[in-house]
Amino acid sequence: MADYIIYTKDLSLQAARAAEPVRVLQRKPLVTDLGCFSVAGSDCAVEEHAFSSGRGLRVRRPVKAGEAVLTVPLHHCWSAERARQVPELASLASLPDEDLMALHLLLERAKGPTGWNATHLRILPEEYDMTPFWSDSELARLDGELQATSRKLATQVQTDFAAIIKTAQGKGEDGMLLQAGIDLESFKWAKATLWSRCTDLSVKKDAAPQRFLVPGFDLANCDQSLPVAFCVSETSVILKAAKDLQEGEELCINYGPHPNNHLLLWYGFVIDENPCTSITIEFPVDAAAAGFLESLGAQMRDAEPGSGRVTARCQPSFRDPIPCAMLFAAAVCNGICALGQTSLNVEQELAALELLTKILPPASDVQPLPQTLDHRQRCALVLLTADDRVLATVHSALQRRRVQLNAKPKK
């Protein structure tokens, strides 16, 4: 949901670290009064703001966790139901919901200031950074799976647009699309808008979720440490503060526990230290310890048949660099603690920490991620260096924990 500064492009990490930033010509942001999207009489406590990382929402006054800061009526939101009410799209109502919403966006955009929700259209980004729209040379920086998924999705967009043209021609509406300037490139923009800015909401209890593009709400950037902080009624979408904020602070929402591959594919950004980014460490342990380690979060798989042992797979991450499952797996498989023991004393924990330090691969010389990069190149670099950076985080956490334990008075 953010606009990003553009820097020089270079594939090599060494060159990236030494690169000089390119001068960037930026438009002076047009600040929009989000109160125009709100329910009449409700308090709009947020405003659009250009942060160093891109546009987002900031609070206009101190707010408390759980306090409503923006209430948008559903009749101001983009949805498939709303699109099917548009006279120009009546004969195309059988199209899939997302495609119909994309056409609605483009039709209203073509009308300029007189279009429905014109104020919202004006503040939408002009371009996006999701990987389906990357060039082949840009995609080459990513792993093979993400490359393949990105190309498949890009092909699907082309197929969707071809189906729209065929349907429109059959209904005699292809002239309408031409008049509105709707082509494949603009359709890509509309699809990217919906992918990156919509939210799925159940308007009625037990009803199937519907996709909405909510003006104002869609400016909120992502913070995966926050709880869910919005709700919907039969008439409105209500954005709430997930934590206490002072005037001028950024208000974020949680897009969900998504890894960086997902965020880059569907939203066009990554999180440097994504809590969901992890590495996998395996420990051979006695089968009798499987249930306990599994209860701590380890994933179990069978070892050699008849060995009486299993393999405990543990996943340290940026969020939890020393998971309990990993600490106990190291202790159990090396006889530091007995089977069935559910806590470690200081000496045992220190021994397990020392063992982990020795058996884990050494941390590479991980440098801070450079800021002087084109956004897409930097996203690729975040993905490329993720394992090394998690491993470095684990080693740092092990060292800190050992220092803490050694500082405790000896009994």
Side-chain angles (χ1 to χ4, degrees), residues 76-294:
H76 281 179
C77 301
W78 306 84
S79 66
E81 181 180 354
R82 179 77 190 196
R84 288 188 169 89
Q85 297 172 10
V86 177
E88 299 98 314
L89 296 175
S91 62
L92 303 178
S94 62
L95 289 172
D97 287 358
E98 186 176 88
D99 292 348
L100 203 62
M101 289 176 69
L103 292 181
H104 188 200
L105 279 170
L106 295 173
L107 280 174
E108 300 301 340
R109 189 176 71 163
K111 297 174 185 177
T114 63
W116 182 74
N117 252 347
T119 301
H120 183 226
L121 285 165
R122 180 175 62 77
I123 66 174
L124 291 175
E126 295 180 0
E127 57 184 27
Y128 294 93
D129 284 302
M130 287 87 95
T131 54
F133 310 122
W134 287 24
S135 67
D136 286 340
S137 61
E138 290 169 331
L139 286 174
R141 301 167 182 157
L142 306 175
D143 66 57
E145 183 179 357
L146 184 53
Q147 286 188 47
T149 303
S150 301
R151 290 192 171 99
K152 182 178 180 180
L153 191 55
T155 300
Q156 184 61 52
V157 173
Q158 297 174 11
T159 301
D160 291 345
F161 186 68
I164 287 172
I165 295 300
K166 183 177 180 180
T167 301
Q169 289 174 340
K171 300 289 186 178
E173 295 290 358
D174 48 322
M176 178 266 295
L177 300 183
L178 184 64
Q179 185 177 3
I182 298 176
D183 57 13
L184 178 59
E185 289 306 308
S186 64
F187 184 67
K188 289 179 180 178
W189 172 86
K191 293 280 269 194
T193 297
L194 298 175
W195 291 344
S196 63
R197 307 179 81 83
C198 278
T199 186
D200 294 331
L201 302 170
S202 296
V203 175
K204 297 181 180 180
K205 185 178 180 180
D206 299 326
Q210 300 178 53
R211 180 148 292 185
F212 291 93
L213 175 54
V214 185
F217 179 97
D218 65 326
L219 282 167
N221 291 315
C222 178
D223 182 343
Q224 290 185 319
S225 69
L226 298 175
V228 173
F230 62 87
C231 62
V232 62
S233 69
E234 293 189 16
T235 58
S236 304
V237 179
I238 304 167
L239 176 61
K240 298 181 178 181
K243 62 180 182 179
D244 293 351
L245 294 168
Q246 297 302 311
E247 180 180 352
E249 288 191 284
E250 183 173 13
L251 182 141
C252 295
I253 61 174
N254 191 336
Y255 294 6
H258 300 306
N260 275 336
N261 278 16
H262 178 98
L263 293 176
L264 189 55
L265 178 70
W266 293 106
Y267 296 94
F269 72 92
V270 295
I271 298 172
D272 287 3
E273 296 189 357
N274 190 319
C276 297
T277 301
S278 63
I279 56 177
T280 299
I281 309 295
E282 295 189 341
F283 300 87
V285 297
D286 192 291
F292 174 62
L293 294 176
E294 196 168 20

Side-chain angles (χ1 to χ4, degrees), residues 38 58 78 159 295 320 329 353:
S38 302
R58 71 175 179 184
W78 306 84
T159 301
S295 72
D320 187 7
L353 293 170

Side-chain angles (χ1 to χ4, degrees), residues 336 344-354 405 409-411:
I336 294 172
L344 301 177
N345 60 36
V346 171
E347 289 74 19
Q348 289 173 324
E349 185 174 351
L350 278 169
L353 293 170
E354 185 66 31
L405 291 175
K410 298 294 187 293
K411 294 182 179 180

